[in-house]
Amino acid sequence: MPIQRIEAGPAGEKTAAWTTAQAAAHEFVGEVGLDFSRAHASTRAAQLCAFDRIVAACAAQPRAGRVVSIHAVHAATEALDILERHGLPAHATCIFHWFSGSGEDLNRLRALGCLVSVNACMLATRRGRAYARQLPEDALLLETDAPAWLDAPCSAAELEASLAHTLSLLAEIRGTSTQTLAPALAETSVRLLRL
């Protein structure tokens, strides 16, 4: 699905309705969620309404193997509240991108069986490193969208280098080798994508 920002008012309602219909009809949904950063805080109510509708629609129309990629900036608690309210993790694999919620949120995420995709920026923070150590190996994925520090499209070589760097950092944090960790992460990806 193309990137859609939820605005307040009729334009936001139209985008939310379209996004909800698309999410309910597909196996792979993402990246949907909430962004309460300063730049987007003014649309908080519209975002909450839209995300609630998307999650409710996915839960009401289960699809075998559905994967939902979740964006939650300063909004992990609210995202988890909505997932729990609709029971979506029972009907889909929910993956949080670059999780930075509280320790309590992490415990809720784990109890719901959600996964976390990590990138080098997440692993550069003390909290991110702690979470990367605490999460079970089969709950971790490498974040495969463009490297966060690039403001423009990147080449395949740049993406590959970014993933290799993140894998190396993650292995070091977890006290293992890339040769041990890479196959485990790949196995999770293969299972989710049914390759």
Side-chain angles (χ1 to χ4, degrees):
M1 296 185 336
I3 294 173
Q4 301 285 330
R5 294 265 184 219
I6 300 299
E7 307 288 330
E13 176 58 32
K14 183 177 177 182
T15 299
W18 181 86
T19 304
T20 299
Q22 291 297 310
H26 291 89
E27 293 177 28
F28 297 99
V29 179
E31 181 173 340
V32 296
L34 305 167
D35 186 340
F36 296 162
S37 64
R38 188 178 320 201
H40 304 290
S42 64
T43 61
R44 178 185 177 113
Q47 289 183 57
L48 283 165
C49 182
F51 186 58
D52 189 80
R53 284 173 59 182
I54 291 165
V55 170
C58 287
Q61 297 175 49
R63 295 181 70 88
R66 179 176 274 146
V67 176
V68 180
S69 177
I70 299 167
H71 181 83
V73 177
H74 303 298
T77 300
E78 293 84 351
L80 289 163
D81 288 346
I82 291 170
L83 292 176
E84 284 180 331
R85 181 167 47 252
H86 296 290
L88 186 62
H91 304 289
T93 299
C94 298
I95 304 169
F96 276 80
H97 250 12
W98 186 350
F99 185 77
S100 61
S102 69
E104 183 178 320
D105 290 333
L106 182 71
N107 290 336
R108 289 175 67 196
L109 177 146
R110 289 179 71 176
L112 288 170
C114 298
L115 283 64
V116 174
S117 63
V118 301
N119 63 22
C121 293
M122 176 182 166
L123 299 178
T125 69
R126 184 174 53 189
R127 179 181 287 182
R129 289 188 300 274
Y131 290 173
R133 275 190 295 276
Q134 293 172 36
L135 285 162
E137 193 172 82
D138 63 354
L140 291 168
L141 296 161
L142 296 182
E143 197 162 298
T144 56
D145 52 0
W149 58 89
L150 294 177
D151 293 331
C154 67
S155 69
E158 288 170 313
L159 179 56
E160 184 178 358
S162 171
L163 293 172
H165 176 66
T166 302
L167 176 64
S168 177
L169 290 172
L170 186 58
E172 182 180 333
I173 288 164
R174 293 181 64 84
T176 189
S177 70
T178 58
Q179 292 79 11
T180 300
L181 186 58
L185 298 180
E187 183 177 315
T188 301
S189 295
V190 166
R191 177 177 48 83
L192 291 176
L193 298 173
R194 295 178 303 286
L195 298 174

